[in-house]
Structures are given as C-alpha cells and as structure tokens.
Amino acid sequence: MSQYPEKTCSIDRLIRHPKLIEAAKSGVKTQQRRDGVYAWPGEVFELDGTAFVVTDLQRERLGDMTDEHAKAEGYPNLESYRALILSMHPGMTWEPEHLVWVHSFKIKQDD
C-alpha cells in the first residue's frame, strides 16, 4: 500500500454510530470521511455481521463536498451533515480547505 500513508486508526473504528451502521448495511451509506486513514482499498471490515470492502481512498477538501457526497455519508444533505459534524466536535469550524480522507466502500458479495 505504498501509495497511501500509514493508517492512523484501526479499520474497526471507521464507522461507529448505530444509525450510520444501519445506513451502511442498507446500502445508503457508501462513504466515510475521516481526518486520518482507517483502511486501504481492498480491505474488508464487518458491521453487525455484514461484510464490507473498501473500494477507494481519496483525499478531498471539505469545501468540495456536495449534497450527493453527504447522501453517500448517510445524511439527507450537506447542511445536515455539516451541522452534525460541528455538533459532535465542539469548537471545530468548517474550513473549506481542510483535507480529509474519503473511504468509499460497498457490501462485500460472496465470492
């Protein structure tokens, strides 16, 4: 995985909130943004008995997010995503130039 930096956290911490786990299991949530790298493409993780495979890992500016990206995160629109993120991290500001890692994933199909 030389094209990606070292992981900053364990893959099992990628998605933790029960509502987001359910959104992923239903196929609504297909992305997770984090400040660090939690998984590399091709890695498999499990949420409540459902296996997922990471399909992509990209660097993105917060200011480049759209409503479609927020929907892939499991939220109805960008404003609701932004409001929740800011409420979860007191003192944080939404900086459009801030870079995050976008982990894309899908439900793993049986081989």
Side-chain angles (χ1 to χ4, degrees), residues 47-97:
L47 300 171
D48 291 345
T50 301
F52 295 84
V53 62
V54 177
T55 58
D56 197 18
L57 178 66
Q58 292 190 20
R59 200 77 158 134
E60 182 180 278
R61 293 174 343 112
L62 284 178
D64 292 334
M65 280 189 76
T66 65
D67 281 341
E68 288 306 309
H69 293 128
K71 288 177 183 175
E73 283 273 359
Y75 297 87
N77 54 48
L78 180 56
E79 191 50 42
S80 63
Y81 173 80
R82 185 176 133 170
L84 180 70
I85 294 299
L86 293 175
S87 72
M88 289 173 54
H89 303 283
M92 178 183 168
T93 58
W94 188 270
E95 299 294 332
E97 297 301 317

